[in-house]
Amino acid sequence: NYIPRPRNSWIIFRTERSEAITRAMGKIEAQLVSKIVSEEWGLMDAEKKRPWTQQAEDEKRAHKKKFPDYRYQP
């Protein structure tokens, strides 16, 4: 009965960017992909991050609707 947590904006951005980076650079280590994506994310201001922030908020609302009693418990 495992319920995954909703993705946050960073995870959504990383997923999208890692696919694009892998297509452009070929197969590279996940650690290097994360480093590249982290640098990109760090250079972006809040306005540029807004699409992923909005998507994360949408996913959070949908998750809350689907699992109203969900509580994160590590």
Side-chain angles (χ1 to χ4, degrees):
N1 293 340
Y2 174 75
I3 300 171
R5 292 177 6 181
R7 300 181 302 166
N8 62 32
S9 55
W10 155 248
I11 295 297
I12 295 168
F13 178 74
R14 190 205 182 282
T15 301
E16 290 179 13
R17 288 299 298 141
S18 66
E19 291 170 2
I21 290 168
T22 302
R23 278 194 307 273
M25 299 179 75
K27 186 171 179 147
I28 60 174
E29 293 180 3
Q31 184 178 6
L32 180 56
V33 172
S34 288
K35 182 179 178 182
I36 293 167
V37 175
S38 292
E39 289 172 358
E40 290 178 4
W41 184 257
L43 294 172
M44 294 169 63
D45 62 18
E47 185 60 33
K48 288 185 179 180
K49 292 178 182 178
R50 187 177 309 278
W52 296 281
T53 303
Q54 184 62 50
Q55 188 174 347
E57 290 172 6
D58 294 345
E59 284 190 21
K60 187 175 179 180
R61 276 192 296 276
H63 189 274
K64 188 162 185 74
K65 186 175 181 179
K66 187 173 182 179
F67 306 106
D69 297 327
Y70 172 81
R71 298 289 177 262
Y72 174 64
Q73 298 173 343

